[in-house]
Amino acid sequence: MPCAAYLDWNATAPLRPEAAAAMSDALARCGNPSSVHRFGREARRALEAARAQVAALVGVAPAEVVFTSGGTEANQLALRGLGDRRVLVSAIEHDSVHQAVPDAATIPVTPRGVVDLDALDRLLAAEARPALVSLMLANNETGIIQPVAEAARLAHARSALFHCDAVQAAGKLPVDRAALGADLITLSAHKLGGPQGVGALVVSPALHLTALQTGGGQERGRRAGTENLPGIIGFGTAAAVAGGRLGDYAAVALLRDEAERRLKTIAPEAPVYGDDVPRLPNTLCLGMPGVAASTQVMALDLAGVMVSAGAACSSGKLRRSLVLEAMGVPAAEAESAIRISLGWSTVPADIDQLVEAWGVLYARTRAHAA
Ligand code: PLP
């Protein structure tokens, strides 16, 4: 078996050891945060401590944090929990945004992958109903960072609310609610070193959110159901560690840039999506012209290197990338795009392994073509 080089951090990051330790401690305890006895009160204290840690990551008050089962649920709650509004979403949002409101208006992006702010303003101006705009902070496939603060200003100037899916950005970039100007922010634990299946929606105190999941009055009536306390404690711990270690991403960016430089040396014609606009420090979306993404993903996997196709979907199947399509990338080209994503424990040897395996495949496909 070759060594494993895990380069799929945008799909999920490894659990941070601090989060694992806090979760294992929590799993050994008993107590429902809604119970009034001592064990219940201890559980409540732990829940609220984790809420404060998550709130601190994005600069909000703890009461604004609603825990959910992940980013997907938080996006659904944001887009469906605010009553009858016209929803406008960017063309490059995650499926959990697109599918929350299938009849939402689409805000286009430019060929460089950045939302078209003029188009957003035109859409808002034409809208008679109160609107809700949803724009992600960083794209999961390309890493391209969106002008969220400007978009939020435009939305507010037209009396619309603004939601930001910050799932991919949180823990990699500073995310500050006031600086972004967002009324709602989506977070997911497993992208920043917490466990899978936990997330949060940050909701401005001025907003009344209607729960989608009803039952008990947990989360101040905004999300019913006994809280996933070990998961939430892992999330809080990971958020605290991630917030204190944003500086690690300077080294991650150097490794990403090194990977990009070496892959482009092998294949100068390989397109890199998002290389001329601000991008997440850990993400590299590039194509091997004429070679399907699935072929690349499988060849790399055989060599111990784990990456995703540009448009891997949750069922593990490959499908066309709506993100690259929205950028105007021709379908045949988009089909050869893979996403390489690094993280805090990526080492130069992982990049060597990637470059070696990708180079071997490239040489083989070129030899066949000759
Ligand atoms: N939003 C973005 C941008 C994502 O990349 C993802 C996951 O890939 C999600 C939302 C969904 O988060 P979760 O996996 O916690 O449901």
Side-chain angles (χ1 to χ4, degrees):
M1 266 301 254
C3 295
Y6 183 71
L7 295 172
D8 198 15
W9 289 62
N10 287 8
T12 200
L15 192 63
R16 291 187 186 265
E18 298 89 341
M23 289 176 73
S24 118
D25 180 60
L27 285 167
R29 292 170 189 268
C30 171
N32 184 322
S34 299
S35 299
V36 294
H37 50 62
R38 177 161 62 89
F39 282 7
R41 292 196 306 277
E42 285 170 6
R44 165 67 52 191
R45 263 198 299 281
L47 175 67
E48 296 312 324
R51 195 186 306 281
Q53 289 171 311
V54 172
L57 184 69
V58 290
V60 299
E64 296 174 56
V65 173
V66 180
F67 285 117
T68 65
S69 64
T72 297
E73 186 192 330
N75 281 340
Q76 306 274 324
L77 188 55
L79 297 180
R80 294 203 200 147
L82 288 166
D84 185 28
R85 287 180 171 268
R86 175 67 166 147
V87 178
L88 282 62
V89 309
S90 91
I92 55 165
E93 295 302 310
H94 189 260
D95 278 348
S96 55
V97 165
H98 284 302
Q99 293 189 19
V101 186
D103 65 351
T106 303
I107 315 158
V109 299
T110 67
R112 297 165 91 199
V114 178
V115 74
D116 182 339
L117 291 172
D118 292 335
L120 167 61
D121 200 40
R122 278 196 300 277
L123 284 166
L124 284 167
E127 197 48 64
R129 278 158 65 192
L132 167 64
V133 174
S134 184
L135 176 63
M136 64 194 346
L137 184 48
N139 183 262
N140 41 303
E141 288 180 35
T142 61
I144 295 173
I145 296 170
Q146 300 299 317
V148 164
E150 290 88 329
R153 263 195 297 278
L154 290 176
H156 291 151
R158 303 268 185 200
S159 305
L161 293 175
F162 189 86
H163 165 249
C164 177
D165 176 346
V167 163
Q168 289 293 343
K172 298 174 186 145
L173 303 175
V175 177
D176 178 66
R177 211 277 297 287
L180 294 178
D183 302 296
L184 304 121
I185 298 179
T186 291
L187 301 170
S188 173
H190 72 109
K191 309 291 183 173
L192 50 78
Q196 297 169 346
V198 193
L201 181 65
V202 173
V203 187
S204 151
L207 295 182
H208 175 73
L209 196 68
T210 305
L212 300 182
Q213 185 163 302
T214 53
Q218 290 91 349
E219 298 298 294
R220 295 171 187 243
R222 295 172 293 187
R223 200 272 186 183
T226 301
E227 300 85 348
N228 168 7
L229 192 54
I232 288 171
I233 287 172
F235 184 12
T237 306
V241 176
R245 301 198 58 160
L246 291 176
D248 290 356
Y249 277 89
V252 173
L254 288 178
L255 280 179
R256 188 275 311 271
D257 293 347
E258 167 76 0
E260 180 174 328
R261 189 188 59 71
R262 289 169 65 187
L263 295 176
K264 288 281 291 181
T265 303
I266 294 169
E269 76 282 22
V272 173
Y273 303 101
D275 58 351
D276 56 352
V277 286
R279 231 182 338 167
L280 285 177
N282 76 318
T283 306
L284 171 58
C285 181
L286 98 165
M288 185 187 288
V291 181
S294 55
T295 305
Q296 296 175 64
V297 170
M298 281 186 286
L300 290 173
D301 189 33
L302 287 173
V305 181
M306 287 163 264
V307 303
S308 276
C313 80
S314 46
S315 61
K317 297 198 190 83
L318 300 185
R319 48 121 209 234
R320 87 202 143 91
S321 164
L322 298 180
V323 172
L324 297 180
E325 185 176 288
M327 291 166 63
V329 175
E333 185 185 318
E335 277 163 19
S336 74
I338 60 168
R339 176 187 71 189
I340 298 157
S341 52
L342 292 63
W344 59 83
S345 63
T346 304
V347 291
D350 298 329
I351 303 305
D352 293 343
Q353 205 172 328
L354 162 75
V355 171
E356 165 72 19
W358 200 79
V360 166
L361 176 66
Y362 181 78
R364 201 166 67 224
T365 57
R366 266 48 194 176
H368 277 303

